Amino acid sequence: MPLALLALAVGAFGIGTTEFVIMGLLPDIAAEYGVTIPTAGLLVTGYALGVVIGAPLLTVLGNKVSRKRMLMLLMGLFVLGNLLSAVAPNFGLMLTGRIVASLAHGSFFGIGSVVAAELVAPDKKAGAIATMFTGLTVANIVGVPLGTFIGQTVGWRITFAVVSALGVIGLLGIAKLVPAMPRPEGARLRGELSAFRNPQVLLAMAMTVLGFGGVFAAITYIAPMMTEVAGYSEGAVTWLLVLFGVGMFLGNLLGGRFADRALMPMLYAALGGLAVVLALFTVVAHNKILAAIAILLVGALGFATVPPLQKRVLDQAHGAPTLASAVNIGAFNLGNALAAWLGGLVIAAGLGYTAPNWVGAALAAAALGLAFWSAALERRTPVVEASTAGAPVPAAVHH
């Protein structure tokens, strides 16, 4: 494994910790600022929307910067945002800090995916992307539970200070281990934008929004769901998040391995299974053991979609992958924002803390429908080779 992949995974670990640790801290943050749980959920929605905005914006702004330098600048922005969250005296500034940190998220994973794919042979690209995302999944096994424990014992502000330190470590790792990879000659913003004329790119991004949104519909409100419905203690939420992280880790590895062999069948299995598990989660959330199993499966099936979806975008945006890759990371977080908002709506409507699971099941089922549609469209589209470097490929790469 190239050491550069390890550096990218370290950065992903820090970003993953700050993205997901908020779930276990929502009740504590809501109590300190005197806001409701659905209002505190805006810290999830705001972060996700910041990723959606930051992914294309910072990728375009960094269009003439080397990829290594851009990754370092993004980690610096991430550190700044988390420091602001750590010292925020009111909810508004806390939300601002979350958004500042989130602006780096999409571009980091988007550019990092391109770098990871370029470091390995063509038949190992999804595996390399999965290796980078391993940092994100390991964050949910180690970083998020530890951050939740710290937040519940010595204060959530300390959690965000520690996350800032993780960002500094990630920045140093990138500076030391990632090779200088200058922007490819001839790459232009117009060429990057041309990728979005390919309907398969847009369909893959829509699958990303809906599929991963299904995961966040349930996980955003996992703390109140497990304490109020399943009957777990507040301290047990830490270990339930570990279980979710284990599922993410396993799903990410399986998704990366099988996406290099049979990409679309991998998506069908993951999205279909996710829809079923989320629907069942509504019922089994009342049982401690079954609820824990459901959390594990939601993590596994949800993250099994990440490498194949990211690889599909890279395949379809052939020759101009950087912006499309970053925008697809934004699409993951657009799904997160949509799901967190919809989950808050059904809770505020009095439907209970399990209602977001139904929202998630519907989103995952819709993503599965788009996957079948995308495959059918691909079968009807003739393969056309790009005539020049950086030109879009109208037809998809078959898997």
Side-chain angles (χ1 to χ4, degrees):
M1 178 185 72
L3 287 178
L5 291 180
L6 176 61
L8 294 172
V10 170
F13 179 86
I15 292 176
T17 299
T18 202
E19 179 181 17
F20 291 100
V21 76
I22 195 72
M23 281 60 161
L25 300 177
L26 276 184
D28 300 278
I29 295 172
E32 176 160 339
Y33 288 126
V35 299
T36 65
I37 290 291
T39 298
L42 291 175
L43 296 173
V44 178
T45 304
Y47 185 96
L49 289 177
V51 177
V52 174
I53 296 169
L57 177 62
L58 293 182
T59 300
V60 169
L61 291 177
N63 198 40
K64 295 185 178 181
V65 178
S66 72
R67 288 169 177 166
K68 176 176 180 175
R69 179 173 296 180
M70 192 62 192
L71 288 171
M72 293 173 64
L73 290 173
L74 292 170
M75 288 307 298
L77 185 62
F78 168 80
V79 170
L80 177 63
N82 280 286
L83 285 176
L84 181 57
S85 292
V87 300
N90 56 59
F91 184 78
L93 283 178
M94 170 67 177
L95 180 58
T96 300
R98 291 283 293 168
I99 293 172
V100 169
S102 71
L103 292 174
H105 182 128
S107 290
F108 181 87
F109 281 108
I111 296 172
S113 293
V114 175
V115 170
E118 289 181 354
L119 290 169
V120 297
D123 63 341
K124 298 184 181 297
K125 290 183 182 295
I129 294 170
T131 299
M132 181 188 70
F133 276 94
T134 297
L136 184 65
T137 59
V138 171
N140 283 270
I141 301 173
V142 180
V144 171
L146 182 59
T148 302
F149 175 76
I150 291 172
Q152 292 176 347
T153 54
V154 297
W156 59 263
R157 294 181 186 277
I158 303 300
T159 296
F160 285 98
V162 172
V163 168
S164 299
L166 287 175
V168 172
I169 294 172
L171 192 158
L172 295 175
I174 292 167
K176 179 70 174 178
L177 299 175
V178 173
M181 299 181 70
R183 181 172 167 270
E185 291 296 326
R188 296 289 184 271
L189 178 59
R190 181 177 297 180
E192 295 283 347
L193 291 173
S194 69
F196 297 95
R197 294 202 298 265
N198 184 349
Q200 289 288 6
V201 171
L202 300 180
L203 280 172
M205 291 180 177
M207 282 185 267
T208 297
V209 170
L210 297 174
F212 208 68
V215 176
F216 257 67
I219 297 303
T220 297
Y221 302 99
I222 196 68
M225 189 192 311
M226 290 300 96
T227 56
E228 300 295 329
V229 178
Y232 281 104
S233 66
E234 184 180 88
V237 173
T238 298
W239 303 110
L240 292 171
L241 289 174
V242 171
L243 200 58
F244 176 66
V246 170
M248 291 171 63
F249 178 79
L250 295 175
N252 180 61
L253 291 182
L254 290 174
R257 173 169 296 185
F258 288 102
D260 279 323
R261 301 178 185 178
L263 192 149
M264 293 308 292
M266 181 69 236
L267 276 180
Y268 300 152
L271 291 172
L274 181 61
V276 171
V277 169
L278 284 168
L280 291 174
F281 197 7
T282 307
V283 178
V284 304
H286 297 270
N287 180 282
K288 287 185 176 180
I289 295 176
L290 294 179
I293 294 172
I295 290 171
L296 174 71
L297 291 175
V298 168
L301 293 167
F303 250 75
T305 69
V306 174
L309 283 171
Q310 193 69 359
K311 182 175 185 292
R312 187 158 179 84
V313 168
L314 290 176
D315 286 344
Q316 304 303 329
H318 175 72
T322 307
L323 182 60
S325 176
V327 171
N328 195 52
I329 297 298
F332 279 107
N333 286 270
L334 178 59
N336 298 351
L338 174 66
W341 176 66
L342 291 174
L345 283 183
V346 295
I347 291 174
L351 299 180
Y353 286 123
T354 62
N357 296 332
W358 283 117
V359 173
L363 292 173
L368 179 61
L370 286 181
F372 284 119
W373 182 22
S374 176
L377 179 63
E378 186 176 37
R379 288 192 294 269
R380 295 196 301 268
T381 305
V383 176
V384 179
E385 295 295 335
S387 58
T388 60
V393 178
V397 177
H398 289 267
H399 298 278

